[in-house]
Amino acid sequence: MSRRFFLYSSFFLVLLLCGASFSWGYFTQSREIFPHSLILRIAGKMPPAVMVPANAVDPDDLAALSALGYYEGTYDQNADRQGVLIHDPAAASPGLNLYYSWKKPGAQLLTMEGEVVHRWSADDTIWGHVEPLQDGGVLVTSKFEYLRRLSRDSEILWTLPGGFHHALWLEGDRVWAIDRVDRIEADIHDDVPVFSEEIVAVSMDGEELERHSVLDMLRGTPHAHLIPSLRHREFRDALVIDPLHANHVEVFDGSQAHHSPLFAKGNLLIGLRHLNLAMIVDGRTFKAIWVWGPVTLTRPHHPSSVEGGRILVFNNGLQESEILELEPETHQVVWSYAPGESFFTEFMGSVQRLPNGNTLITESGKGYVFEIDREGKTVWQFANPDVDEEGVRAAIWRMSRYAPGELPFESVPGDDGS
């Protein structure tokens, strides 16, 4: 009797477990709950993370988020730290420093001691990227609104409307910019528009010369599989999805082509945050010829070419950031700066190799910039003095160092450009 009871009980228990497993498998697939993503990762079919833009969020919720310190900056318990904190003149690379607080309409040029040499400002729109010109003026993007040229005295010379954002690159008498166009890209999603990135060349008079789709740079190449297909995803409230998020463009001048044909004159280096990718594009065919990052980088920013035929990139990470220097032909990391959890910015971030071999790093979210030597020693440090009454230090999109004589300004302490 006990044996028969045991057999029947075991049989019903197996049926119960099979039913539960089937039900859980059904909900896993239909609702995309655990372990759906794990199974996709094991199978190598996990799509890249998709970022839903702020305009898909309820306006009231967005306003609440905007009030938090980390939205436009970070609370700093050491809010009294402002301006230049460390300066080793014998070790730091000399020059002038251009920076601007995130979402503030203006930029300033500082000496190594932190004195203001010149300021530019125009209106109350949100400035995105600022690029200085040899005549003392600047080119400015206002996030998704325009590309604009200002004179040395901040007079508006021209404005080109468009979804310009993140970066500009000067190449002779033209400027290369990133433009964002909302449209349906059927290979990504059939119904929901995509922030479709385009690289645009503009004359110094504000006339558009040519434009090229970033998606088309991948299509028809061995790297086309990196284009995320999101047709299986339902975005109930999203107005637009952002699968690429281009954040930098550089055009090679050919000076490093002897290291590798990848650096041929006219080729482009482009950073794509949401694909965890840096790629080099042929400047004649506008097709990707080199990519790196999907298994190494996480939300990266500002890939740039450096001496020796290498590429430098700010790898944001999820909890700790790092700087990586890469040999593109071998895909080998030849130098890195990764001090641990003390160094992290979730958004933005930039890195610049200086003439003396040092590296200038903008820890954007925290509002700090520092220069390190090859061994990682800090030889210059700056804290954004834009701190509110609650101790929130404004973020810095990017600080750039210009060597003496590179810009038409003298390092005269106390000259504020007025």
PDB file of all heavy atoms in Angstrom, residues 19-51:
ATOM      1  N   GLY A  19       3.979  20.776 -15.213  1.00  0.00           N
ATOM      2  CA  GLY A  19       3.022  21.850 -15.454  1.00  0.00           C
ATOM      3  C   GLY A  19       3.551  23.190 -15.007  1.00  0.00           C
ATOM      4  O   GLY A  19       3.403  24.214 -15.703  1.00  0.00           O
ATOM      5  N   ALA A  20       4.192  23.209 -13.840  1.00  0.00           N
ATOM      6  CA  ALA A  20       4.760  24.460 -13.333  1.00  0.00           C
ATOM      7  C   ALA A  20       5.876  24.954 -14.240  1.00  0.00           C
ATOM      8  O   ALA A  20       5.996  26.157 -14.518  1.00  0.00           O
ATOM      9  CB  ALA A  20       5.275  24.254 -11.905  1.00  0.00           C
ATOM     10  N   SER A  21       6.701  23.996 -14.720  1.00  0.00           N
ATOM     11  CA  SER A  21       7.807  24.375 -15.609  1.00  0.00           C
ATOM     12  C   SER A  21       7.279  24.945 -16.919  1.00  0.00           C
ATOM     13  O   SER A  21       7.804  25.932 -17.444  1.00  0.00           O
ATOM     14  CB  SER A  21       8.703  23.162 -15.893  1.00  0.00           C
ATOM     15  OG  SER A  21       9.271  22.671 -14.692  1.00  0.00           O
ATOM     16  N   PHE A  22       6.225  24.295 -17.453  1.00  0.00           N
ATOM     17  CA  PHE A  22       5.645  24.793 -18.699  1.00  0.00           C
ATOM     18  C   PHE A  22       5.083  26.196 -18.512  1.00  0.00           C
ATOM     19  O   PHE A  22       5.296  27.094 -19.329  1.00  0.00           O
ATOM     20  CB  PHE A  22       4.533  23.849 -19.166  1.00  0.00           C
ATOM     21  CG  PHE A  22       3.819  24.337 -20.393  1.00  0.00           C
ATOM     22  CD1 PHE A  22       4.341  24.114 -21.660  1.00  0.00           C
ATOM     23  CD2 PHE A  22       2.613  25.042 -20.282  1.00  0.00           C
ATOM     24  CE1 PHE A  22       3.687  24.580 -22.786  1.00  0.00           C
ATOM     25  CE2 PHE A  22       1.958  25.500 -21.404  1.00  0.00           C
ATOM     26  CZ  PHE A  22       2.483  25.273 -22.660  1.00  0.00           C
ATOM     27  N   SER A  23       4.363  26.386 -17.402  1.00  0.00           N
ATOM     28  CA  SER A  23       3.768  27.704 -17.126  1.00  0.00           C
ATOM     29  C   SER A  23       4.845  28.759 -16.965  1.00  0.00           C
ATOM     30  O   SER A  23       4.735  29.867 -17.505  1.00  0.00           O
ATOM     31  CB  SER A  23       2.898  27.642 -15.863  1.00  0.00           C
ATOM     32  OG  SER A  23       1.841  26.721 -16.032  1.00  0.00           O
ATOM     33  N   TRP A  24       5.883  28.421 -16.208  1.00  0.00           N
ATOM     34  CA  TRP A  24       6.966  29.389 -16.005  1.00  0.00           C
ATOM     35  C   TRP A  24       7.684  29.700 -17.326  1.00  0.00           C
ATOM     36  O   TRP A  24       8.014  30.851 -17.616  1.00  0.00           O
ATOM     37  CB  TRP A  24       7.965  28.851 -14.989  1.00  0.00           C
ATOM     38  CG  TRP A  24       9.025  29.861 -14.629  1.00  0.00           C
ATOM     39  CD1 TRP A  24      10.325  29.881 -15.001  1.00  0.00           C
ATOM     40  CD2 TRP A  24       8.825  31.021 -13.820  1.00  0.00           C
ATOM     41  NE1 TRP A  24      10.948  30.967 -14.484  1.00  0.00           N
ATOM     42  CE2 TRP A  24      10.067  31.697 -13.743  1.00  0.00           C
ATOM     43  CE3 TRP A  24       7.722  31.558 -13.140  1.00  0.00           C
ATOM     44  CZ2 TRP A  24      10.229  32.871 -13.033  1.00  0.00           C
ATOM     45  CZ3 TRP A  24       7.883  32.724 -12.420  1.00  0.00           C
ATOM     46  CH2 TRP A  24       9.124  33.374 -12.370  1.00  0.00           C
ATOM     47  N   GLY A  25       7.889  28.654 -18.160  1.00  0.00           N
ATOM     48  CA  GLY A  25       8.513  28.869 -19.458  1.00  0.00           C
ATOM     49  C   GLY A  25       7.666  29.765 -20.350  1.00  0.00           C
ATOM     50  O   GLY A  25       8.178  30.626 -21.058  1.00  0.00           O
ATOM     51  N   TYR A  26       6.338  29.574 -20.290  1.00  0.00           N
ATOM     52  CA  TYR A  26       5.441  30.400 -21.093  1.00  0.00           C
ATOM     53  C   TYR A  26       5.532  31.866 -20.687  1.00  0.00           C
ATOM     54  O   TYR A  26       5.674  32.763 -21.526  1.00  0.00           O
ATOM     55  CB  TYR A  26       3.995  29.908 -20.946  1.00  0.00           C
ATOM     56  CG  TYR A  26       2.987  30.830 -21.591  1.00  0.00           C
ATOM     57  CD1 TYR A  26       2.755  30.778 -22.957  1.00  0.00           C
ATOM     58  CD2 TYR A  26       2.284  31.759 -20.829  1.00  0.00           C
ATOM     59  CE1 TYR A  26       1.833  31.620 -23.553  1.00  0.00           C
ATOM     60  CE2 TYR A  26       1.368  32.615 -21.415  1.00  0.00           C
ATOM     61  CZ  TYR A  26       1.141  32.539 -22.778  1.00  0.00           C
ATOM     62  OH  TYR A  26       0.244  33.384 -23.359  1.00  0.00           O
ATOM     63  N   PHE A  27       5.478  32.107 -19.362  1.00  0.00           N
ATOM     64  CA  PHE A  27       5.546  33.492 -18.886  1.00  0.00           C
ATOM     65  C   PHE A  27       6.940  34.084 -19.095  1.00  0.00           C
ATOM     66  O   PHE A  27       7.089  35.275 -19.349  1.00  0.00           O
ATOM     67  CB  PHE A  27       5.152  33.569 -17.410  1.00  0.00           C
ATOM     68  CG  PHE A  27       3.668  33.508 -17.193  1.00  0.00           C
ATOM     69  CD1 PHE A  27       3.076  32.350 -16.722  1.00  0.00           C
ATOM     70  CD2 PHE A  27       2.873  34.598 -17.495  1.00  0.00           C
ATOM     71  CE1 PHE A  27       1.702  32.298 -16.537  1.00  0.00           C
ATOM     72  CE2 PHE A  27       1.498  34.547 -17.320  1.00  0.00           C
ATOM     73  CZ  PHE A  27       0.904  33.388 -16.838  1.00  0.00           C
ATOM     74  N   THR A  28       7.969  33.240 -19.006  1.00  0.00           N
ATOM     75  CA  THR A  28       9.328  33.708 -19.276  1.00  0.00           C
ATOM     76  C   THR A  28       9.437  34.264 -20.683  1.00  0.00           C
ATOM     77  O   THR A  28      10.018  35.328 -20.915  1.00  0.00           O
ATOM     78  CB  THR A  28      10.331  32.551 -19.091  1.00  0.00           C
ATOM     79  OG1 THR A  28      10.427  32.246 -17.710  1.00  0.00           O
ATOM     80  CG2 THR A  28      11.707  32.913 -19.611  1.00  0.00           C
ATOM     81  N   GLN A  29       8.860  33.533 -21.651  1.00  0.00           N
ATOM     82  CA  GLN A  29       8.951  33.953 -23.043  1.00  0.00           C
ATOM     83  C   GLN A  29       8.022  35.122 -23.343  1.00  0.00           C
ATOM     84  O   GLN A  29       8.410  36.099 -24.005  1.00  0.00           O
ATOM     85  CB  GLN A  29       8.605  32.762 -23.949  1.00  0.00           C
ATOM     86  CG  GLN A  29       8.596  33.108 -25.443  1.00  0.00           C
ATOM     87  CD  GLN A  29       9.955  33.491 -25.940  1.00  0.00           C
ATOM     88  OE1 GLN A  29      10.961  33.074 -25.387  1.00  0.00           O
ATOM     89  NE2 GLN A  29      10.011  34.294 -26.990  1.00  0.00           N
ATOM     90  N   SER A  30       6.772  35.038 -22.856  1.00  0.00           N
ATOM     91  CA  SER A  30       5.793  36.064 -23.224  1.00  0.00           C
ATOM     92  C   SER A  30       6.004  37.377 -22.493  1.00  0.00           C
ATOM     93  O   SER A  30       5.751  38.446 -23.034  1.00  0.00           O
ATOM     94  CB  SER A  30       4.371  35.545 -22.950  1.00  0.00           C
ATOM     95  OG  SER A  30       4.195  35.278 -21.560  1.00  0.00           O
ATOM     96  N   ARG A  31       6.480  37.289 -21.238  1.00  0.00           N
ATOM     97  CA  ARG A  31       6.656  38.508 -20.447  1.00  0.00           C
ATOM     98  C   ARG A  31       8.112  38.940 -20.341  1.00  0.00           C
ATOM     99  O   ARG A  31       8.401  39.979 -19.747  1.00  0.00           O
ATOM    100  CB  ARG A  31       6.096  38.289 -19.026  1.00  0.00           C
ATOM    101  CG  ARG A  31       4.629  37.907 -19.004  1.00  0.00           C
ATOM    102  CD  ARG A  31       3.729  39.013 -19.512  1.00  0.00           C
ATOM    103  NE  ARG A  31       2.342  38.632 -19.527  1.00  0.00           N
ATOM    104  CZ  ARG A  31       1.514  38.718 -18.490  1.00  0.00           C
ATOM    105  NH1 ARG A  31       1.962  39.191 -17.348  1.00  0.00           N
ATOM    106  NH2 ARG A  31       0.266  38.340 -18.584  1.00  0.00           N
ATOM    107  N   GLU A  32       9.034  38.126 -20.901  1.00  0.00           N
ATOM    108  CA  GLU A  32      10.472  38.423 -20.872  1.00  0.00           C
ATOM    109  C   GLU A  32      10.988  38.621 -19.447  1.00  0.00           C
ATOM    110  O   GLU A  32      11.686  39.561 -19.117  1.00  0.00           O
ATOM    111  CB  GLU A  32      10.796  39.658 -21.715  1.00  0.00           C
ATOM    112  CG  GLU A  32      10.481  39.464 -23.171  1.00  0.00           C
ATOM    113  CD  GLU A  32      10.951  40.617 -24.032  1.00  0.00           C
ATOM    114  OE1 GLU A  32      11.526  41.571 -23.481  1.00  0.00           O
ATOM    115  OE2 GLU A  32      10.762  40.550 -25.245  1.00  0.00           O
ATOM    116  N   ILE A  33      10.593  37.652 -18.567  1.00  0.00           N
ATOM    117  CA  ILE A  33      11.064  37.685 -17.198  1.00  0.00           C
ATOM    118  C   ILE A  33      12.116  36.601 -17.017  1.00  0.00           C
ATOM    119  O   ILE A  33      12.356  35.786 -17.913  1.00  0.00           O
ATOM    120  CB  ILE A  33       9.892  37.483 -16.202  1.00  0.00           C
ATOM    121  CG1 ILE A  33       9.190  36.135 -16.458  1.00  0.00           C
ATOM    122  CG2 ILE A  33       8.909  38.623 -16.282  1.00  0.00           C
ATOM    123  CD1 ILE A  33       8.060  35.848 -15.492  1.00  0.00           C
ATOM    124  N   PHE A  34      12.764  36.601 -15.855  1.00  0.00           N
ATOM    125  CA  PHE A  34      13.843  35.636 -15.597  1.00  0.00           C
ATOM    126  C   PHE A  34      13.351  34.203 -15.792  1.00  0.00           C
ATOM    127  O   PHE A  34      12.251  33.855 -15.341  1.00  0.00           O
ATOM    128  CB  PHE A  34      14.355  35.820 -14.168  1.00  0.00           C
ATOM    129  CG  PHE A  34      15.495  34.897 -13.816  1.00  0.00           C
ATOM    130  CD1 PHE A  34      16.792  35.245 -14.154  1.00  0.00           C
ATOM    131  CD2 PHE A  34      15.269  33.692 -13.191  1.00  0.00           C
ATOM    132  CE1 PHE A  34      17.846  34.398 -13.843  1.00  0.00           C
ATOM    133  CE2 PHE A  34      16.313  32.855 -12.888  1.00  0.00           C
ATOM    134  CZ  PHE A  34      17.599  33.204 -13.215  1.00  0.00           C
ATOM    135  N   PRO A  35      14.150  33.351 -16.498  1.00  0.00           N
ATOM    136  CA  PRO A  35      15.521  33.589 -16.976  1.00  0.00           C
ATOM    137  C   PRO A  35      15.594  33.892 -18.475  1.00  0.00           C
ATOM    138  O   PRO A  35      16.514  33.423 -19.153  1.00  0.00           O
ATOM    139  CB  PRO A  35      16.203  32.270 -16.648  1.00  0.00           C
ATOM    140  CG  PRO A  35      15.108  31.253 -16.941  1.00  0.00           C
ATOM    141  CD  PRO A  35      13.810  31.906 -16.554  1.00  0.00           C
ATOM    142  N   HIS A  36      14.607  34.614 -19.003  1.00  0.00           N
ATOM    143  CA  HIS A  36      14.561  34.898 -20.445  1.00  0.00           C
ATOM    144  C   HIS A  36      15.855  35.501 -20.952  1.00  0.00           C
ATOM    145  O   HIS A  36      16.447  35.050 -21.928  1.00  0.00           O
ATOM    146  CB  HIS A  36      13.382  35.831 -20.733  1.00  0.00           C
ATOM    147  CG  HIS A  36      13.248  36.201 -22.180  1.00  0.00           C
ATOM    148  ND1 HIS A  36      13.768  37.369 -22.684  1.00  0.00           N
ATOM    149  CD2 HIS A  36      12.678  35.551 -23.237  1.00  0.00           C
ATOM    150  CE1 HIS A  36      13.506  37.437 -23.984  1.00  0.00           C
ATOM    151  NE2 HIS A  36      12.852  36.360 -24.336  1.00  0.00           N
ATOM    152  N   SER A  37      16.328  36.583 -20.257  1.00  0.00           N
ATOM    153  CA  SER A  37      17.548  37.253 -20.712  1.00  0.00           C
ATOM    154  C   SER A  37      18.763  36.352 -20.583  1.00  0.00           C
ATOM    155  O   SER A  37      19.664  36.387 -21.418  1.00  0.00           O
ATOM    156  CB  SER A  37      17.752  38.548 -19.915  1.00  0.00           C
ATOM    157  OG  SER A  37      17.895  38.265 -18.547  1.00  0.00           O
ATOM    158  N   LEU A  38      18.809  35.520 -19.525  1.00  0.00           N
ATOM    159  CA  LEU A  38      19.935  34.609 -19.329  1.00  0.00           C
ATOM    160  C   LEU A  38      20.011  33.590 -20.458  1.00  0.00           C
ATOM    161  O   LEU A  38      21.087  33.294 -20.987  1.00  0.00           O
ATOM    162  CB  LEU A  38      19.801  33.905 -17.984  1.00  0.00           C
ATOM    163  CG  LEU A  38      20.899  32.888 -17.630  1.00  0.00           C
ATOM    164  CD1 LEU A  38      22.258  33.578 -17.578  1.00  0.00           C
ATOM    165  CD2 LEU A  38      20.586  32.197 -16.321  1.00  0.00           C
ATOM    166  N   ILE A  39      18.841  33.064 -20.862  1.00  0.00           N
ATOM    167  CA  ILE A  39      18.811  32.085 -21.952  1.00  0.00           C
ATOM    168  C   ILE A  39      19.295  32.720 -23.247  1.00  0.00           C
ATOM    169  O   ILE A  39      20.080  32.132 -24.002  1.00  0.00           O
ATOM    170  CB  ILE A  39      17.379  31.529 -22.119  1.00  0.00           C
ATOM    171  CG1 ILE A  39      16.991  30.700 -20.883  1.00  0.00           C
ATOM    172  CG2 ILE A  39      17.273  30.690 -23.384  1.00  0.00           C
ATOM    173  CD1 ILE A  39      15.546  30.270 -20.867  1.00  0.00           C
ATOM    174  N   LEU A  40      18.848  33.972 -23.503  1.00  0.00           N
ATOM    175  CA  LEU A  40      19.282  34.665 -24.714  1.00  0.00           C
ATOM    176  C   LEU A  40      20.782  34.916 -24.700  1.00  0.00           C
ATOM    177  O   LEU A  40      21.453  34.801 -25.725  1.00  0.00           O
ATOM    178  CB  LEU A  40      18.527  35.985 -24.869  1.00  0.00           C
ATOM    179  CG  LEU A  40      17.051  35.886 -25.273  1.00  0.00           C
ATOM    180  CD1 LEU A  40      16.448  37.284 -25.362  1.00  0.00           C
ATOM    181  CD2 LEU A  40      16.880  35.153 -26.580  1.00  0.00           C
ATOM    182  N   ARG A  41      21.315  35.282 -23.534  1.00  0.00           N
ATOM    183  CA  ARG A  41      22.753  35.524 -23.443  1.00  0.00           C
ATOM    184  C   ARG A  41      23.532  34.247 -23.727  1.00  0.00           C
ATOM    185  O   ARG A  41      24.530  34.253 -24.441  1.00  0.00           O
ATOM    186  CB  ARG A  41      23.113  36.066 -22.057  1.00  0.00           C
ATOM    187  CG  ARG A  41      22.681  37.501 -21.840  1.00  0.00           C
ATOM    188  CD  ARG A  41      23.183  38.017 -20.504  1.00  0.00           C
ATOM    189  NE  ARG A  41      22.630  39.318 -20.203  1.00  0.00           N
ATOM    190  CZ  ARG A  41      23.089  40.464 -20.688  1.00  0.00           C
ATOM    191  NH1 ARG A  41      24.114  40.437 -21.510  1.00  0.00           N
ATOM    192  NH2 ARG A  41      22.528  41.604 -20.370  1.00  0.00           N
ATOM    193  N   ILE A  42      23.091  33.119 -23.141  1.00  0.00           N
ATOM    194  CA  ILE A  42      23.775  31.848 -23.351  1.00  0.00           C
ATOM    195  C   ILE A  42      23.723  31.457 -24.820  1.00  0.00           C
ATOM    196  O   ILE A  42      24.689  30.936 -25.398  1.00  0.00           O
ATOM    197  CB  ILE A  42      23.135  30.753 -22.475  1.00  0.00           C
ATOM    198  CG1 ILE A  42      23.398  31.056 -20.984  1.00  0.00           C
ATOM    199  CG2 ILE A  42      23.690  29.383 -22.841  1.00  0.00           C
ATOM    200  CD1 ILE A  42      22.678  30.122 -20.042  1.00  0.00           C
ATOM    201  N   ALA A  43      22.585  31.753 -25.455  1.00  0.00           N
ATOM    202  CA  ALA A  43      22.420  31.418 -26.871  1.00  0.00           C
ATOM    203  C   ALA A  43      23.080  32.422 -27.796  1.00  0.00           C
ATOM    204  O   ALA A  43      23.094  32.246 -29.006  1.00  0.00           O
ATOM    205  CB  ALA A  43      20.926  31.329 -27.201  1.00  0.00           C
ATOM    206  N   GLY A  44      23.614  33.511 -27.211  1.00  0.00           N
ATOM    207  CA  GLY A  44      24.256  34.543 -28.014  1.00  0.00           C
ATOM    208  C   GLY A  44      23.286  35.406 -28.780  1.00  0.00           C
ATOM    209  O   GLY A  44      23.638  36.005 -29.792  1.00  0.00           O
ATOM    210  N   LYS A  45      22.035  35.490 -28.308  1.00  0.00           N
ATOM    211  CA  LYS A  45      21.007  36.242 -29.031  1.00  0.00           C
ATOM    212  C   LYS A  45      20.482  37.427 -28.230  1.00  0.00           C
ATOM    213  O   LYS A  45      19.451  37.984 -28.567  1.00  0.00           O
ATOM    214  CB  LYS A  45      19.842  35.327 -29.393  1.00  0.00           C
ATOM    215  CG  LYS A  45      20.232  34.187 -30.310  1.00  0.00           C
ATOM    216  CD  LYS A  45      19.043  33.311 -30.631  1.00  0.00           C
ATOM    217  CE  LYS A  45      19.435  32.181 -31.570  1.00  0.00           C
ATOM    218  NZ  LYS A  45      18.273  31.310 -31.895  1.00  0.00           N
ATOM    219  N   MET A  46      21.170  37.793 -27.197  1.00  0.00           N
ATOM    220  CA  MET A  46      20.698  38.896 -26.366  1.00  0.00           C
ATOM    221  C   MET A  46      20.864  40.214 -27.104  1.00  0.00           C
ATOM    222  O   MET A  46      21.971  40.571 -27.494  1.00  0.00           O
ATOM    223  CB  MET A  46      21.492  38.942 -25.052  1.00  0.00           C
ATOM    224  CG  MET A  46      20.991  39.982 -24.064  1.00  0.00           C
ATOM    225  SD  MET A  46      19.335  39.631 -23.511  1.00  0.00           S
ATOM    226  CE  MET A  46      19.039  41.038 -22.435  1.00  0.00           C
ATOM    227  N   PRO A  47      19.789  40.961 -27.347  1.00  0.00           N
ATOM    228  CA  PRO A  47      19.914  42.249 -28.039  1.00  0.00           C
ATOM    229  C   PRO A  47      20.553  43.280 -27.143  1.00  0.00           C
ATOM    230  O   PRO A  47      20.502  43.163 -25.919  1.00  0.00           O
ATOM    231  CB  PRO A  47      18.457  42.624 -28.338  1.00  0.00           C
ATOM    232  CG  PRO A  47      17.665  41.947 -27.270  1.00  0.00           C
ATOM    233  CD  PRO A  47      18.394  40.662 -26.987  1.00  0.00           C
ATOM    234  N   PRO A  48      21.180  44.311 -27.719  1.00  0.00           N
ATOM    235  CA  PRO A  48      21.772  45.368 -26.906  1.00  0.00           C
ATOM    236  C   PRO A  48      20.714  46.080 -26.081  1.00  0.00           C
ATOM    237  O   PRO A  48      19.536  46.086 -26.428  1.00  0.00           O
ATOM    238  CB  PRO A  48      22.368  46.330 -27.954  1.00  0.00           C
ATOM    239  CG  PRO A  48      22.479  45.516 -29.198  1.00  0.00           C
ATOM    240  CD  PRO A  48      21.379  44.518 -29.139  1.00  0.00           C
ATOM    241  N   ALA A  49      21.160  46.663 -24.974  1.00  0.00           N
ATOM    242  CA  ALA A  49      20.243  47.421 -24.138  1.00  0.00           C
ATOM    243  C   ALA A  49      19.663  48.580 -24.933  1.00  0.00           C
ATOM    244  O   ALA A  49      20.350  49.204 -25.724  1.00  0.00           O
ATOM    245  CB  ALA A  49      20.973  47.951 -22.904  1.00  0.00           C
ATOM    246  N   VAL A  50      18.381  48.847 -24.739  1.00  0.00           N
ATOM    247  CA  VAL A  50      17.717  49.933 -25.443  1.00  0.00           C
ATOM    248  C   VAL A  50      17.426  51.044 -24.460  1.00  0.00           C
ATOM    249  O   VAL A  50      16.878  50.824 -23.393  1.00  0.00           O
ATOM    250  CB  VAL A  50      16.394  49.446 -26.075  1.00  0.00           C
ATOM    251  CG1 VAL A  50      15.709  50.594 -26.800  1.00  0.00           C
ATOM    252  CG2 VAL A  50      16.661  48.299 -27.025  1.00  0.00           C
ATOM    253  N   MET A  51      17.817  52.241 -24.813  1.00  0.00           N
ATOM    254  CA  MET A  51      17.574  53.396 -23.968  1.00  0.00           C
ATOM    255  C   MET A  51      16.348  54.124 -24.485  1.00  0.00           C
ATOM    256  O   MET A  51      16.273  54.463 -25.653  1.00  0.00           O
ATOM    257  CB  MET A  51      18.787  54.329 -23.980  1.00  0.00           C
ATOM    258  CG  MET A  51      20.077  53.654 -23.549  1.00  0.00           C
ATOM    259  SD  MET A  51      20.032  53.046 -21.863  1.00  0.00           S
ATOM    260  CE  MET A  51      20.042  54.591 -20.979  1.00  0.00           C
TER     261      MET A  51
END
